[in-house]
Every structure is written in C-alpha cells, then in structure tokens.
Amino acid sequence: MSEPTTAPLFRFPVRIYWEDTDAGGVVFYANYLKFFERARTEWLRAAGIGQQDLRERSGALFVVASTRLRYLSPARLDDALIVSVDRAEPGRARMTVFQQAWRGDTLLCEGEIEIACVDQADFRPRRIPSDVLSRLFP
C-alpha cells in the first residue's frame, strides 16, 4: 500500500474495549474495519455530509466495494488509537480511501477501502453527487 504524502485528512480517536478483543487479548482483526468505518462516517459528517440526509435528499448511498488491509502490530485492551482517513482521487461513482490505525507512533493497521456510490432503489452504481465531491475534494 502506498503511504500518503501529506498529513492525514481526518483523525478519529478510538478506545479499545473488552468487546473489541479476541481470546488472545488483542483486537480481533475484523474490528479494524469497524474502526475504519466509524472514522469515514465522522469524516463525512465533518465535511457536512450526513449519510441519512444524503440518502433522503438524493437517493445516493455509499457502500464498501472492496477492502485491502495490512496488519502490522496488535492493539490491546484500553489502548487509545487514532484512526486516520486520507483519500485518493475519486472516480465518477467510486472513491478509494486510504486509512491507518495508530497507537502513538506505532502503525497498527492500514488499508485501502474502495467506496462505491449506488442508488438506494436498486443498488446500481451512480455518480457521486457533485456537492459531495466539492466538499470532499475541494
């Protein structure tokens, strides 16, 4: 995965709770996808894009089309993480978001998440609304 060349676009704090860990006492690998989802949702919200409002206003939904994650170091109970959101140039109906989870100076997990824009009625691909693009990619 390629590293972002600038500071992350958005940072979101995550605390590790008991429910996030597996029998070995480390964060269950699939939970990083949850942390990344929460950070992307808050990134959109910080840009003035509420996903429920977007659906009601335009009929557009964002769905995860593909993921690619790399696990580097475990997080454990009570760790305080920062999940970053960065972005690549969007396509007409998709965008790739680069994300990382950090504990202090230690990179724990990184991933590329491809997000597709679909129509709520039939889940067919559709263009990302222009107002959304202008807020996310000024």
Side-chain angles (χ1 to χ4, degrees):
M1 282 175 227
S2 60
E3 297 290 326
T5 57
T6 60
L9 179 68
F10 184 80
R11 293 177 183 189
F12 180 73
V14 171
R15 174 72 66 184
I16 303 303
Y17 298 108
W18 187 261
E19 67 191 31
D20 299 319
T21 62
D22 62 15
V26 300
V27 169
F28 181 64
Y29 72 94
N31 285 335
Y32 287 98
L33 289 169
K34 292 179 183 182
F35 303 155
F36 287 178
E37 177 74 28
R38 291 177 196 157
R40 285 193 314 278
T41 298
E42 295 304 325
W43 166 59
L44 290 170
R45 192 182 319 263
I49 303 163
Q51 293 189 70
Q52 181 68 14
D53 178 63
L54 178 66
R55 183 183 66 81
E56 291 171 358
R57 174 173 56 79
S58 69
L61 298 174
F62 287 124
V63 298
V64 173
S66 69
T67 62
R68 186 173 72 153
L69 272 61
R70 190 167 73 119
Y71 303 96
L72 302 160
S73 187
R76 300 180 190 283
L77 182 65
D78 289 331
D79 280 353
L81 309 184
I82 296 295
V83 177
S84 64
V85 178
D86 209 336
R87 66 191 194 279
E89 289 300 316
R92 289 183 295 207
R94 292 177 183 255
M95 66 179 134
T96 301
V97 180
F98 182 81
Q99 295 189 257
Q100 295 178 321
W102 293 84
R103 181 185 55 237
D105 292 336
T106 304
L107 177 60
L108 305 176
C109 180
E110 63 181 356
E112 289 180 7
I113 316 297
E114 185 178 26
I115 306 298
C117 186
V118 299
D119 188 272
Q120 72 169 345
D122 57 14
F123 275 72
R124 290 185 183 211
R126 59 164 289 172
R127 285 184 178 273
I128 300 170
S130 60
D131 64 317
V132 171
L133 287 174
S134 67
R135 289 179 183 193
L136 294 179
F137 304 95

